Amino acid sequence: METERREITVGDLTFDVRVGGPDRGPWVLLLHGFPVNSSCYDDVADRLHESGLRTIQVDQRGYSPGARPEGVEAYRLEALVDDALGVLDALDVPYAILVGHDWGGIVAWHLAGKHPDRFTGLVVASTGHPSAMRDAIKDPDAVDDQREKSAYIKDFIAEGAEEMLLARDGVLLRRAGVTAEELAPLLEPGALTAGLNWYRANFTGDVAATLSCPPIEIPTTLVWSDGDTALGRAQAQGSGRYVYGDYRFCELPGIDHWIPQKAAKELASEIALRSAVF
C-alpha cells in the first residue's frame, strides 16, 4: 500500500511526514530515535497497513531539513513533545496509538503521561519509562549496569562528537548497526548536530528534572530485546511500576537495539494488539 509524502507545518517548522494505510483505519503515530529517521519503521508500517491501521511516520525535529533550528535549547524535550502534538493537530487526528523507539520512546512516554486523552494505547521499543531508567542507573544491585551502558552519552554531548561519529565513513555508527542508507541523511549540513542536540539539550544540567515523567494510565506495551547494549533489562522490566493501566512486557531474544528494523513483524504484532478493542 502506497504512502503519501506530506510537508506539515507546525509553528515555523516544516516536518517531512508520510501517511499510509486504509482511509478509515485507526491512526498510529510512529516516533523514531537516534540517529535514524522515520524510514526505520517502513517494514513495520507495511505490516500495520495490512492489519487495517493508518500510520504517520514523522521525521522529527532536526531530522526534517525544514525543522532543523539552530541552537541546543531548541531541542528541549518539551519542544519535541509539542512537535508531535502539532503534527497530529495539523492532520486533524484527535487520537492515535502511540509508538516510539529509542529517543522516540522517551518522547512517547512523555506524550502518554502528559496528554493521555490523545492516545488510545502506547507501545515503546527498547526505552523504559524515564523513572525506571533513573532507578536502574542508581541501583547498584540492578541486574545490569545501566550507568555503564549509558556512558556513551558523555561522548555524544562532547564537543567534536560530530567529527568522531562521521570519521572513516561513519565507522562507529556502522559498527553500532546503522546502515549506509540510514547514515546518508546525517551527511546533510547540520543534520548530525541536530540529532546530537537532543542529547545536549536534555542530558546536561538537572537531567532528572528534565526527564521527569508522570505515571502512565493508558494501555501500554514495552518491547525489549536482550541483545540491546545501550538499554538494559533493569530499566525495561522496571517500567511496569510506572504504568497504572493495562501493561504488557514483551522480550525479544537474540535481537539487538534496532527493533523496528530487525523485528518488524514482532513489533507490528504488538502494535496491532494494542489497537484491538475487546
Side-chain angles (χ1 to χ4, degrees):
M1 186 174 295
E2 291 294 325
T3 59
E4 177 187 357
R5 294 182 179 272
R6 302 189 190 181
E7 292 185 346
I8 302 295
T9 299
V10 178
D12 58 356
L13 303 180
T14 301
F15 293 89
D16 294 339
V17 177
R18 282 183 292 165
V19 176
D23 289 342
R24 297 182 180 275
W27 289 99
V28 181
L29 177 64
L30 300 160
L31 301 176
H32 65 84
F34 177 88
V36 299
N37 62 26
S38 65
S39 65
C40 69
Y41 285 112
D42 283 353
D43 289 344
V44 175
D46 287 344
R47 294 177 181 276
L48 294 179
H49 300 162
E50 294 173 359
S51 297
L53 301 175
R54 189 157 170 76
T55 60
I56 305 167
Q57 293 172 253
V58 185
D59 290 350
Q60 295 183 87
R61 182 176 293 232
Y63 294 85
S64 290
R68 193 171 289 159
E70 296 184 0
V72 170
E73 287 302 304
Y75 295 85
R76 296 281 291 181
L77 185 55
E78 55 265 27
L80 308 176
V81 168
D82 287 345
D83 291 342
L85 294 174
V87 169
L88 292 179
D89 290 343
L91 291 171
D92 293 322
V93 175
Y95 47 84
I97 302 159
L98 178 59
V99 180
H101 173 249
D102 188 80
W103 253 112
I106 296 178
V107 176
W109 284 114
H110 279 262
L111 281 164
K114 297 171 181 176
H115 304 277
D117 57 311
R118 296 299 299 269
F119 304 101
T120 59
L122 170 66
V123 179
V124 180
S126 305
T127 320
H129 188 283
S131 295
M133 175 67 76
R134 175 204 62 202
D135 296 345
I137 288 175
K138 289 183 176 180
D139 185 1
D141 298 320
V143 295
D144 48 29
D145 190 346
Q146 186 59 54
R147 184 182 297 273
E148 181 178 343
K149 289 179 180 292
S150 299
Y152 70 92
I153 293 175
K154 293 181 180 179
D155 295 329
F156 280 15
I157 64 179
E159 184 177 353
E162 291 87 344
E163 290 78 9
M164 175 191 70
L165 291 174
L166 292 180
R168 292 185 290 163
D169 297 320
V171 63
L172 291 179
L173 290 173
R174 289 188 285 108
R175 284 176 179 171
V178 179
T179 68
E181 184 177 5
E182 291 168 336
L183 184 63
L186 299 177
L187 304 180
E188 298 174 2
L192 182 54
T193 294
L196 289 170
N197 279 347
W198 287 47
Y199 291 92
R200 292 164 174 159
N202 299 291
F203 282 104
T204 55
D206 191 344
V207 178
T210 298
L211 297 182
S212 179
C213 181
I216 308 302
E217 298 185 0
I218 64 174
T220 298
T221 299
L222 179 61
V223 182
W224 178 76
S225 47
D226 65 4
D228 196 321
T229 58
L231 295 162
R233 180 181 296 277
Q235 60 90 40
Q237 291 185 327
S239 296
R241 295 196 295 269
Y242 300 97
V243 179
Y244 295 169
D246 179 63
Y247 179 70
R248 171 175 164 80
F249 177 73
C250 173
E251 179 175 338
L252 302 178
I255 302 294
D256 62 18
H257 175 72
W258 309 101
I259 290 176
Q261 301 97 316
K262 301 290 183 63
K265 178 181 178 182
E266 293 83 352
L267 180 56
S269 293
E270 293 298 331
I271 298 168
L273 282 173
R274 277 292 167 217
S275 74
V277 177
F278 297 100

